[in-house]
Amino acid sequence: GAVVSQHPSRVICKSGTSVKIECRSLDFQATTMFWYRQFPKQSLMLMATSNEGSKATYEQGVEKDKFLINHASLTLSTLTVTSAHPEDSSFYICSVRTPDYNEQFFGPGTRLTVL
Amino acid sequence: EDQVTQSPEALRLQEGESSSLNCSYTVSGLRGLFWYRQDPGKGPEFLFTLYSAGEEKEKERLKATLTKKESFLHITAPKPEDSATYLCAVLDSNYQLIWGAGTKLIIKP
């Protein structure tokens, strides 16, 4: 069964609007969740590490004011793309790692298209 | 600098034709090596974690092996449904996951 869920699976929005993507850990409590983006035919790029109860850690080059992350509980993290522009169109995937680091599971992804 | 390199970039096989995908790595303090399968438009699906040289794991037609410098994903008698991009990632001493670019596998019926 699914370990990680994401919602929505697809979203189309107008330029300038904000979009929220939810990520839920279904099988275990995740103190840490990860957000990735993936462009066509490219590998995953880590955007940020989401920590429950504290601020997210962003990778170099990722604008924290544009990509707002809230890890509200041990099973829910949200990514909000603020004032989205066409260049933000991408495939966004969240991930959770088991506490023993043995496995890392990914959500089904969210396809964002900004018109 | 930590690095993960996958080869080949793409591999076309006939159904039933066994082969191997390679993942070579240079990393300080390997904590684990992960293999994933990714279908178009979907998130990666976890396959295996390997921890030490000599370790092997199997799942259906897939078998992953690990040495001190590389990992192989062997696929035996593949079927068209095995077509996907296979991703390799290494967990380094800082618990950072470093990704390879993937191998796109196409199995022709």
Side-chain angles (χ1 to χ4, degrees):
Chain A
V3 177
V4 184
S5 69
Q6 272 184 251
H7 178 80
S9 58
R10 292 176 181 270
V11 57
I12 301 173
C13 68
K14 294 182 178 180
S15 185
T17 61
S18 295
V19 174
K20 180 184 283 187
I21 303 170
E22 289 188 351
C23 175
R24 294 184 182 273
S25 175
L26 302 178
D27 280 8
F28 54 88
Q29 295 181 329
T31 55
T32 303
M33 293 185 180
F34 304 90
W35 286 96
Y36 291 83
R37 67 188 296 182
Q38 187 176 35
F39 292 105
K41 299 184 179 181
Q42 293 187 23
S43 192
L44 291 85
M45 184 190 81
L46 180 65
M47 298 176 64
T49 301
S50 169
N51 303 295
E52 191 268 336
S54 64
K55 292 183 178 180
T57 303
Y58 290 83
E59 295 300 303
Q60 191 173 8
V62 178
E63 299 176 61
K64 61 181 181 181
D65 294 329
K66 181 167 188 61
F67 299 99
L68 301 179
I69 292 172
N70 181 23
H71 197 144
S73 73
L74 290 173
T75 59
L76 174 64
S77 177
T78 61
L79 169 68
T80 302
V81 183
T82 62
S83 187
H85 292 283
E87 57 264 31
D88 298 323
S89 298
S90 188
F91 192 51
Y92 292 87
I93 314 172
C94 72
S95 176
V96 300
R97 187 179 292 169
T98 56
D100 59 4
Y101 295 91
N102 283 357
E103 297 167 328
Q104 184 162 335
F105 298 97
F106 288 81
T110 297
R111 172 72 60 192
L112 171 63
T113 303
V114 184
L115 303 176
Chain B
E1 181 182 343
D2 295 344
Q3 194 169 2
V4 178
T5 304
Q6 290 188 248
S7 61
E9 288 186 15
L11 181 62
R12 294 175 182 268
L13 300 172
Q14 286 293 139
E15 183 173 1
E17 181 184 0
S18 302
S19 187
S20 295
L21 313 182
N22 178 265
C23 172
S24 62
Y25 62 90
T26 53
V27 64
S28 56
L30 176 73
R31 293 189 180 274
L33 185 144
F34 299 81
W35 280 100
Y36 291 88
R37 167 195 172 125
Q38 187 175 24
D39 293 298
K42 296 187 178 181
E45 174 190 343
F46 173 79
L47 294 174
F48 306 108
T49 309
L50 302 168
Y51 295 99
S52 57
E55 188 175 0
E56 299 183 351
K57 288 190 177 176
E58 291 188 62
K59 180 180 180 180
E60 296 179 352
R61 295 178 291 282
L62 299 175
K63 179 180 177 181
T65 61
L66 181 65
T67 73
K68 289 185 177 180
K69 295 183 179 180
E70 58 192 348
S71 176
F72 290 95
L73 185 65
H74 308 275
I75 183 161
T76 303
K79 299 181 179 181
E81 54 262 41
D82 295 320
S83 298
T85 295
Y86 290 84
L87 299 168
C88 168
V90 167
L91 193 65
D92 70 10
S93 58
N94 295 317
Y95 295 100
Q96 299 296 312
L97 204 57
I98 303 163
W99 291 89
T103 293
K104 184 174 183 179
L105 179 64
I106 299 171
I107 308 299
K108 297 176 286 184

